[in-house]
Amino acid sequence: MAGGEGTRLRPLSLGSPKPMTPLLGRPVMEHIINLLKSHGITDICVTLCYKTQPVIQKFRKLAPQVRLIIRSRNCLDIAENVRSGACDLGVGYDMDWSRDVLEVEPMGEYEVILLASSEFCHPDFVTHNQRKPVSLVTDEPDSIFRRRLEEYLRERNITLDATLELWSIETIKRCVMSNLGFTYLPRFAAQGELADGRLVELIAPISGVRFPTLCARHKNRWVTPAMELFMRLLRETLN
């Protein structure tokens, strides 16, 4: 799990992804990879978001013989994949994952905020009963962020002109920076754009809500030593 900003490591993590923070002369991720390799683990799956490229580059240099699998799944699909046995472990945001056959463990929280360009002319998302001539720029209908935001808008009777549905966070950010609408994304996904002013945070009760991250496994399947090790590393890294 290497997608966070490393806020609790600052100032050590400023300017680099969290897993690249040096420890005893080597990146933290290198220590974790070497520990996994020492236990005979050769398939390592890393979930990435924040400053992804340098993480992948460093991983390939450190473990060229390891088969790296990077998969992006909707949070609903993650739970179903674990339930069906398509994967051993799943890490994602809590979307009311059924606990019938899933053993679920909290793995930290991420802050999600309203974002717009500095030229956005309709920043009020507090006042009730509005018809706003703006578009929501968002991703798939089953996104937990989109669901929560749309629920908030309905509660306040705030209606929008349109919804632009895209499938890439980078594309969403580019559209919002071009003032084609506003969006609702994890803060870490827009840290650079917030820092240089290309995006601004809109003030509203829905902005800054923290979403819990969970690790799920199947209750009725044996936890292998490799799975137990991986879960322990998740706990140490995220908590």
Side-chain angles (χ1 to χ4, degrees), residues 5 8-9 18-19 22 24 40 46 84-85 92 104 109 122 132 134 143 154 183-184 189 193-195 206:
E5 299 175 55
R8 286 170 290 186
L9 291 176
K18 176 174 63 178
L24 300 176
V46 184
S84 67
V104 174
E109 298 180 337
H122 304 276
K132 300 181 76 66
V134 299
S143 161
R154 284 193 298 270
T183 192
Y184 190 54
E193 293 83 0
L194 286 166
I206 190 65

Side-chain angles (χ1 to χ4, degrees), residues 2-6 10 16-18 48-52 55 188-189 191:
E5 299 175 55
R10 291 177 181 171
S16 68
K18 176 174 63 178
L48 302 168
C49 187
Y50 179 63
K51 295 186 178 179
T52 302
V55 175
F188 68 77
Q191 184 177 2

Side-chain angles (χ1 to χ4, degrees), residues 79-116:
E80 182 55 37
N81 285 175
V82 175
R83 187 178 292 108
S84 67
C87 63
D88 295 318
L89 296 173
V91 180
Y93 294 104
D94 187 4
M95 292 190 71
D96 298 322
W97 286 356
S98 173
R99 270 61 167 181
D100 54 350
V101 296
L102 297 183
E103 189 75 36
V104 174
E105 180 177 344
M107 288 286 173
E109 298 180 337
Y110 288 89
E111 187 180 20
V112 181
I113 59 175
L114 282 178
L115 293 162

Side-chain angles (χ1 to χ4, degrees), residues 62-235:
L62 293 173
Q65 77 282 14
V66 173
R67 185 163 61 98
L68 176 63
I69 303 172
I70 300 174
R71 292 174 179 165
S72 177
R73 294 288 187 272
N74 178 279
C75 290
L76 291 175
D77 294 334
I78 291 174
E80 182 55 37
N81 285 175
V82 175
R83 187 178 292 108
S84 67
C87 63
D88 295 318
L89 296 173
V91 180
Y93 294 104
D94 187 4
M95 292 190 71
D96 298 322
W97 286 356
S98 173
R99 270 61 167 181
D100 54 350
V101 296
L102 297 183
E103 189 75 36
V104 174
E105 180 177 344
M107 288 286 173
E109 298 180 337
Y110 288 89
E111 187 180 20
V112 181
I113 59 175
L114 282 178
L115 293 162
S117 78
S118 58
E119 300 175 359
F120 191 69
C121 298
H122 304 276
D124 178 13
F125 284 89
V126 178
T127 305
H128 291 71
N129 305 316
Q130 296 186 68
R131 172 78 184 186
K132 300 181 76 66
V134 299
S135 297
L136 169 62
V137 186
T138 186
D139 54 1
E140 57 183 307
D142 286 332
S143 161
I144 185 173
F145 310 135
R146 177 173 175 176
R147 285 186 174 190
R148 184 70 61 86
L149 176 60
E150 289 178 340
E151 179 184 352
Y152 171 85
L153 296 174
R154 284 193 298 270
E155 289 173 352
R156 298 203 168 224
N157 193 28
I158 299 174
T159 57
L160 310 174
D161 266 0
T163 297
L164 305 180
E165 190 172 295
L166 306 171
W167 293 82
S168 158
I169 289 180
E170 291 304 316
T171 304
I172 290 172
K173 290 192 295 183
R174 285 196 293 269
C175 287
V176 173
M177 287 186 288
S178 299
N179 203 25
L180 296 180
F182 72 101
T183 192
Y184 190 54
L185 292 174
R187 182 182 295 277
F188 68 77
Q191 184 177 2
E193 293 83 0
L194 286 166
D196 60 24
R198 287 178 291 165
L199 289 175
V200 297
E201 179 180 357
L202 304 178
I203 305 303
I206 190 65
S207 191
V209 171
R210 301 185 72 85
F211 286 73
T213 302
L214 304 176
C215 178
R217 65 174 181 83
H218 201 290
K219 288 181 179 178
N220 300 325
R221 290 192 172 88
W222 179 54
V223 179
T224 66
M227 289 170 59
E228 183 57 48
L229 174 62
F230 192 79
M231 288 189 290
R232 178 170 65 80
L233 293 174
L234 280 175
R235 296 183 197 107

